[in-house]
């Protein structure tokens, strides 16, 4: 171990004395052809100077109009310092440096700000419909196309904490909402009539139901609560109520509420379950104020894995593109985990930029490297997993803490917060 440390120190000393570095550009975009021959450059070059160099090379080899903005990746990390500083920090050889050229993502653009009467605690987008839940106990449905409010539902007796869409077609939609009142309710919205009725009440939790998630085929729901429990429910609006009356005897949008009981109740957390996400057909991941994440087998009803964290975790999201987990925590950090890792630490990267609690994290649905985070510092950040110290962009506008995010549609980022606003950002090209 001591020998390895000495070798690293020796390599860093040699690297620091290097003035010229041999690099080879490699294009990761189909739109532009970048010559891949070897070039000697000054070690003090930054991304700005490399960008000028690449553009000059492209103009010599192809017809390019204007300046193209690139990001540069060396050894799976974005270049945010000088070449020599990056190489030294990464502890890599200077014999030949391969520099991957990525066209910069288009900055998100603010499109609208929709105002509600109280804190917006939760957001879910499906098609052109935005569903929000608020601390004024209401659910609201908005039209994404014209940014108009379509329906207000006096849903719960306490503030709404989480919402999710179950199904949507041209005539009707089904969605679920949870609240501080320990309840979880399934709703049927008849779109043409613009009326919504509660069709099922899910009873079982004994504390605030903070989070809800649907599995991939929308047949099952998972809920997490301040009662420390994880419950699995059927998401179907068909079945029998407590009195045993078949659902077929009632219309789907009946005003008579059917009561659901959980299919499974799983115990293991020692504090509130603050986030839940499905990772596989029969696998759910939860996060908690107890500084842990747990991976559950929903068919067998037991815990498969436990991941310990440094602080309370408020949000977790899973990417089916990379099979990686993101968490937002009370210490202001976003963390990246690989739950499959068998060598080294499961926690792979810590993203440092937020100044307060990170309330929500959300993966891109089309790019395995991109994600967003929302914090009590009133800022939404867009990140690339290859840049842990600097976010790609800050999405500003909120005047109070961020409570909710949605990036279901890759072209639209939605954020809601304690300033009573729902903000809409477009992300063209992402």
């Amino acid at each position: 171990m001591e020998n390895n440390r000495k070798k690293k120190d020796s390599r860093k000393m040699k690297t620091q004395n290097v003035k010229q570095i041999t690099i080879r550009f490699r294009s990761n975009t189909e739109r532009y052809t970048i010559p891949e021959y070897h070039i000697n450059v000054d070690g003090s070059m930054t991304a700005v100077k490399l960008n000028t160099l690449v553009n000059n090379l492209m103009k010599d080899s192809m017809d390019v109009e204007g300046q193209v903005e690139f990001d540069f990746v060396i050894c799976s990390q974005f270049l945010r310092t000088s070449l020599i500083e990056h190489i030294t920090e990464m502890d890599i050889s200077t014999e030949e440096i391969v520099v991957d050229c990525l066209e910069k993502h288009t900055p998100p653009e603010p499109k609208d700000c929709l105002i509600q009467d109280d804190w917006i605690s939760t957001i879910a987008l499906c098609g052109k419909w935005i569903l929000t839940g608020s601390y004024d106990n209401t659910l609201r449905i908005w039209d994404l196309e014209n940014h108009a409010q379509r329906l207000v539902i006096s849903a719960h007796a306490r503030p709404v904490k989480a919402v999710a869409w179950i199904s949507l077609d041209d005539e009707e939609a089904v969605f679920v909402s949870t609240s501080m009142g320990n309840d979880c309710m399934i709703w049927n919205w008849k779109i043409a009539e613009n009326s919504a009725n509660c069709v099922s009440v899910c009873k079982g939790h004994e504390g605030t139901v903070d989070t809800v998630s649907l599995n991939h085929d929308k047949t099952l729901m998972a809920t997490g609560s301040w009662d420390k429990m994880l419950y699995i429910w059927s998401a179907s609006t068909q079945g029998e109520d407590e009195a045993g009356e078949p659902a077929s005897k009632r219309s789907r949008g009946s005003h008579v509420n059917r009561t659901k009981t959980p299919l499974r109740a799983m115990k293991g957390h020692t504090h509130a379950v603050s986030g839940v996400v499905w990772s596989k057909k029969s696998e759910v991941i939860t996060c908690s104020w107890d500084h842990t994440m747990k991976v559950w087998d929903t068919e067998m009803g037991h815990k498969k894995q436990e991941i310990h964290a440094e602080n309370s975790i408020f949000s977790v999201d899973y990417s089916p593109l990379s099979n990686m987990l993101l968490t937002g925590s009370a210490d202001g950090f976003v963390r990246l985990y690989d739950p499959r890792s068998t060598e080294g630490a499961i926690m792979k990267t810590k993203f440092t930029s937020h100044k307060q609690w990170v309330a929500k994290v959300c993966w891109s649905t089309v790019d395995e490297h991109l994600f967003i985070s929302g914090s009590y510092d009133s800022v939404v950040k867009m990140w690339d997993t290859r840049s842990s110290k600097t976010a790609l962009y800050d999405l500003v506008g909120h005047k109070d803490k961020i409570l909710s995010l949605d990036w279901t549609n890759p072209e639209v980022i939605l954020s809601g917060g304690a300033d009573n606003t729902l903000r809409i950002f477009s992300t063209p090209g992402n």
Side-chain angles (χ1 to χ4, degrees):
M1 196 171 215
E2 181 66 20
N3 288 335
N4 288 338
R5 187 184 64 80
K6 288 181 178 179
K7 287 180 181 179
K8 286 184 178 181
D9 289 343
S10 175
R11 178 178 287 183
K12 285 183 179 180
M13 289 180 64
K14 291 179 181 178
T15 303
Q16 288 167 358
N17 294 324
V18 173
K19 292 184 178 180
Q20 290 287 314
I21 298 174
T22 302
I23 65 172
R24 177 170 60 86
F25 290 116
R26 185 167 60 187
S27 176
N28 280 6
T29 173
E30 297 179 358
R31 295 179 60 188
Y32 304 107
T33 300
I34 302 173
E36 296 192 7
Y37 43 74
H38 297 79
I39 306 172
N40 290 326
V41 298
D42 195 286
S44 65
M45 288 192 78
T46 62
V48 174
K49 293 181 179 179
L50 283 179
N51 199 76
T52 301
L53 176 58
V54 168
N55 273 269
N56 289 335
L57 292 172
M58 287 196 306
K59 287 175 182 177
D60 292 339
S61 61
M62 62 183 297
D63 185 18
V64 179
E65 294 184 5
Q67 186 86 354
V68 182
E69 293 295 324
F70 288 100
D71 266 320
F72 302 98
V73 175
I74 301 174
C75 286
S76 302
Q77 290 294 313
F78 274 72
L79 178 65
R80 299 304 188 200
T81 58
S82 69
L83 279 170
I84 197 64
E85 289 173 316
H86 186 91
I87 292 167
T88 302
E89 183 177 352
M90 298 293 295
D91 190 30
I92 56 179
S93 171
T94 59
E95 292 180 4
E96 178 190 292
I97 306 299
V98 177
V99 181
D100 288 313
C101 305
L102 284 71
E103 189 176 1
K104 276 194 173 183
H105 292 284
T106 306
E109 300 176 358
K111 286 301 181 184
D112 207 347
C113 174
L114 311 180
I115 301 174
Q116 294 192 186
D117 297 331
D118 211 331
W119 293 8
I120 300 174
S121 50
T122 178
I123 303 170
L125 175 66
C126 188
K128 72 170 191 172
W129 303 114
I130 306 170
L131 175 64
T132 64
S134 173
Y135 269 62
D136 65 4
N137 309 345
T138 66
L139 299 168
R140 295 170 191 257
I141 299 175
W142 305 78
D143 189 329
L144 177 62
E145 294 178 355
N146 57 29
H147 302 173
Q149 183 173 275
R150 181 68 185 275
L151 182 64
V152 180
I153 308 167
S154 297
H156 296 268
R158 298 285 305 280
V160 180
K161 293 295 291 180
V163 295
W165 294 93
I166 297 175
S167 64
L168 173 68
D169 57 35
D170 293 336
E171 297 180 355
E172 61 184 5
V174 179
F175 54 86
V176 58
S177 62
T178 75
S179 86
M180 285 186 180
N182 309 350
D183 53 355
C184 175
M185 304 172 72
I186 298 178
W187 301 82
N188 175 260
W189 174 40
K190 293 190 178 300
I191 299 174
E193 300 173 8
N194 199 28
S195 62
N197 301 316
C198 175
V199 293
S200 296
V201 177
C202 305
K203 290 187 175 181
H205 282 298
E206 297 178 356
T208 294
V209 186
D210 244 5
T211 180
V212 63
S213 177
L214 274 294
N215 68 345
H216 303 302
D217 61 7
K218 303 296 182 74
T219 57
L220 296 174
M221 304 186 304
T223 56
S225 167
W226 276 74
D227 64 9
K228 311 170 190 175
M229 297 295 294
L230 167 67
Y231 283 165
I232 307 298
W233 314 79
S234 166
S236 172
T237 56
Q238 307 300 313
E240 295 184 349
D241 60 11
E242 287 184 329
E245 182 182 353
S248 58
K249 291 186 178 181
R250 292 189 298 266
S251 66
R252 187 178 181 187
S254 170
H255 287 271
V256 179
N257 302 334
R258 293 190 295 277
T259 300
K260 284 182 177 289
T261 55
L263 302 176
R264 285 202 180 276
M266 286 176 275
K267 183 178 180 181
H269 283 291
T270 58
H271 209 314
V273 179
S274 49
V276 59
V277 62
W278 291 81
S279 51
K280 298 177 183 177
K281 181 180 179 181
S282 59
E283 185 177 276
V284 164
I285 300 169
T286 56
C287 66
S288 170
W289 283 62
D290 65 10
H291 300 199
T292 70
M293 284 185 290
K294 299 184 192 297
V295 183
W296 305 86
D297 185 320
T298 59
E299 289 187 351
M300 302 301 294
H302 65 76
K303 180 181 68 177
K304 297 169 61 177
Q305 185 180 5
E306 182 169 288
I307 302 169
H308 291 269
E310 300 175 31
N311 222 301
S312 294
I313 309 173
F314 302 137
S315 177
V316 62
D317 198 21
Y318 172 81
S319 171
L321 301 177
S322 64
N323 299 312
M324 304 286 271
L325 291 172
L326 283 172
T327 62
S329 299
D331 56 10
F333 296 133
V334 177
R335 289 177 173 84
L336 177 71
Y337 293 85
D338 184 355
R340 306 159 302 165
S341 181
T342 56
E343 296 183 3
I346 292 177
M347 198 278 285
K348 298 301 181 183
T349 312
K350 183 163 64 175
F351 299 86
T352 58
S353 184
H354 281 298
K355 295 178 174 59
Q356 294 186 42
W357 290 8
V358 179
K360 197 70 176 178
V361 290
C362 190
W363 281 107
S364 164
T365 57
V366 295
D367 190 315
E368 65 176 310
H369 297 293
L370 291 182
F371 69 90
I372 55 175
S373 60
S375 167
Y376 277 26
D377 62 13
S378 309
V379 179
V380 177
K381 292 178 180 287
M382 177 186 284
W383 300 84
D384 189 294
T385 56
R386 295 162 293 189
S387 179
S388 60
K389 295 180 181 178
T390 307
L392 297 182
Y393 300 106
D394 285 357
L395 285 61
V396 297
H398 282 285
K399 305 301 181 184
D400 208 333
K401 50 184 173 283
I402 309 296
L403 301 175
S404 53
L405 294 173
D406 185 283
W407 202 7
T408 306
N409 182 336
E411 297 183 356
V412 180
I413 291 175
L414 304 173
S415 61
D419 59 358
N420 304 356
T421 65
L422 166 63
R423 293 186 177 269
I424 302 173
F425 299 86
S426 68
T427 56
N430 293 313

